């Protein structure tokens, strides 16, 4: 494990439950990811994940998008918190806001997202429902670098799960979520260790 001074500092942006956030915090605490948490930010004041982060001793902040408007002002406020906590990497973990080029540009290549489908299939909301209704036999999750297009940037890692005949949105979502909690820390570990380089859209792991 590198010295704290050389480990990147990771902010996690949430809007709700925060189970991926908890998986990332656990992985950093247990040194499976060579990084330290900087801050957890929620745009929703009563997001359950905030209490889990606080219980884990991680600084938290709320930047309420209904109070800080317009969109650009909200994003600037989020960026002020990121900077105040000396953030190097930003992980979106169920953050239900579309980022603007402002933040994406400031942290180019250092904003990660997890999506509950095998991109480029089923981008956007309710991906598990869309996969089920389409009738695919395999779905999964994707960790990717965020660019200006929603659920579009270069793919770091993917994990597949079967879609079973008797699946409901709930059972499929639970099967995917179990993989999300493994995949996201693995992807963050690669980025934090500086092992990820880009060749066009292709992510190379060195
Ligand atoms: C996850 O399914 C994630 O893939 C999607 O939003 C959900 C967030 O769940 N982006 P949680 O808040 O991490 O529990």
């Amino acid at each position: 494990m590198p010295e704290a001074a050389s480990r990147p500092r990771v902010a996690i942006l949430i809007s709700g439950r925060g189970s991926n956030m908890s998986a990332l915090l656990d992985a950093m605490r247990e040194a499976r990811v060579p990084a330290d948490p900087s801050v957890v930010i929620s745009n929703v004041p009563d997001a359950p994940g905030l209490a889990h982060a606080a219980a884990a001793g991680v600084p938290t902040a709320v930047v309420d998008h209904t109070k800080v408007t317009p969109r650009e002002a909200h994003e600037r406020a989020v960026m002020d918190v990121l900077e105040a906590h000396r953030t190097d990497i930003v992980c979106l973990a169920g953050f239900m806001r579309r980022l603007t080029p402002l933040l994406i540009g400031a942290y180019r290549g250092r904003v990660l997202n997890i999506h509950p489908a095998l991109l480029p299939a089923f981008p956007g909301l309710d991906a598990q429902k869309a996969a089920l209704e389409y009738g695919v036999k395999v779905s999964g999750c994707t960790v990717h670098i965020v660019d200006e297009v929603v659920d579009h940037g270069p793919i770091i890692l993917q994990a597949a799960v079967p879609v079973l005949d008797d699946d409901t949105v709930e059972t499929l979502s639970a099967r995917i979520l179990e993989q999300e909690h493994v995949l996201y820390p693995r992807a963050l570990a690669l980025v934090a260790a500086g092992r990820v380089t880009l060749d066009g859209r292709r992510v190379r792991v060195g």
Side-chain angles (χ1 to χ4, degrees):
M1 190 78 166
E3 292 295 310
S6 65
R7 285 198 300 267
R9 292 168 57 79
V10 178
I12 306 173
L13 272 52
I14 65 169
S15 298
R17 179 175 60 182
S19 70
N20 278 289
M21 172 207 76
S22 292
L24 294 173
L25 293 179
D26 287 351
M28 285 189 265
R29 196 188 58 240
E30 294 162 11
R32 285 181 280 123
V33 169
D36 296 305
S38 63
V39 63
V40 168
I41 305 174
S42 173
N43 65 310
V44 177
D46 58 357
L50 284 170
H52 297 303
V58 176
T60 62
V62 172
V63 187
D64 186 341
H65 66 283
T66 65
K67 299 230 164 68
V68 188
T69 57
R71 181 178 291 277
E72 288 68 27
H74 180 262
E75 192 146 303
R76 275 196 191 285
V78 169
M79 288 173 69
D80 286 346
V81 177
L82 294 177
E83 281 160 30
H85 290 270
R86 294 179 289 113
T87 298
D88 302 301
I89 297 171
V90 179
C91 288
L92 309 183
F95 186 62
M96 303 303 285
R97 300 278 298 169
R98 188 172 46 77
L99 295 180
T100 79
L102 192 69
L103 195 157
I104 296 167
Y107 290 85
R108 173 77 55 199
R110 296 181 288 139
V111 184
L112 311 185
N113 181 43
I114 185 147
H115 182 73
L118 294 175
L119 291 172
F122 313 116
L125 292 176
D126 298 324
Q128 303 95 329
K129 181 166 181 274
L132 203 56
E133 285 176 356
Y134 194 92
V136 293
K137 301 299 184 192
V138 176
S139 191
C141 49
T142 303
V143 179
H144 67 94
I145 295 170
V146 171
D147 68 9
E148 280 77 0
V149 180
V150 172
D151 298 331
H152 168 270
I155 292 169
I156 303 172
L157 291 175
Q158 292 184 302
V161 305
V163 180
L164 306 180
D165 288 349
D166 59 354
D167 262 336
T168 61
V169 174
E170 288 71 31
T171 58
L172 177 59
S173 299
R175 191 176 308 119
I176 293 172
L177 191 65
E178 204 180 308
Q179 293 303 313
E180 292 184 41
H181 296 162
V182 177
L183 198 71
Y184 211 172
R186 280 182 50 210
L188 177 59
L190 295 175
V191 174
R195 294 180 56 193
V196 163
T197 52
L198 281 179
D199 174 9
R201 276 197 57 87
R202 298 183 71 182
V203 167
R204 309 275 188 205
V205 176

